[in-house]
Amino acid sequence: ARKQRSASQNAARSEGCMWLPGDTLYLEWISKLAHRLCLENSNMHWKMCADMCFVKPEFAELIFPHLLFSVDDVRSQSENQELSANLKALLSSENKCVQSVKLALNVLDFFSELSPG
């Protein structure tokens, strides 16, 4: 019997996004994901950072929470839901990449520190 994927993982995979590392090495995965998000961002400063994500994977990891937060005010509700689903997929039990789980927790911690309350 095959395991059923969670709804959040199906959403992440159905969008063709690269949010789940799968068998990809962590540093390669975060480089590709941050590169893509930099290029998709409307802010020219992030676009200029895109290539550095491949040169220095640690840079990609460092900017990742900031990159996600930078578009918080301009995302639509559906984009916010997609981001939530992607983070939820990273935190699911099917994600076996411990480093990506830690990154997702760092993103949530970063967001909570910036939220009023």
Side-chain angles (χ1 to χ4, degrees):
R2 286 190 289 179
K3 289 183 183 178
Q4 287 188 322
R5 285 187 231 158
S6 68
S8 60
Q9 289 175 318
N10 285 332
R13 289 184 180 151
S14 69
E15 293 296 321
C17 72
M18 302 174 359
W19 280 78
L20 291 174
D23 294 331
T24 307
L25 295 174
Y26 172 76
L27 292 178
E28 180 182 345
W29 167 76
I30 190 59
S31 294
K32 288 179 181 179
L33 180 56
H35 178 265
R36 177 179 168 185
L37 294 174
C38 282
L39 291 178
E40 290 177 353
N41 197 299
S42 60
N43 184 316
M44 186 54 77
H45 293 105
W46 287 118
K47 290 182 188 303
M48 292 187 308
C49 293
D51 289 339
M52 182 57 83
C53 293
F54 283 125
V55 176
K56 285 292 237 184
E58 297 83 4
F59 175 79
E61 186 177 48
L62 178 68
I63 67 169
F64 189 72
H66 302 274
L67 180 59
L68 294 181
F69 188 77
S70 74
V71 294
D72 194 44
D73 293 333
V74 295
R75 277 196 306 262
S76 69
Q77 183 176 353
S78 65
E79 289 171 322
N80 280 329
Q81 290 172 342
E82 182 181 343
L83 175 60
S84 294
N86 289 332
L87 287 173
K88 189 174 183 179
L90 280 176
L91 295 170
S92 74
S93 62
E94 289 184 37
N95 181 9
K96 303 300 182 205
C97 180
V98 174
Q99 290 171 297
S100 67
V101 172
K102 288 179 182 178
L103 180 66
L105 292 172
N106 287 339
V107 167
L108 294 175
D109 186 51
F110 178 79
F111 280 13
S112 70
E113 289 177 12
L114 296 175
S115 299

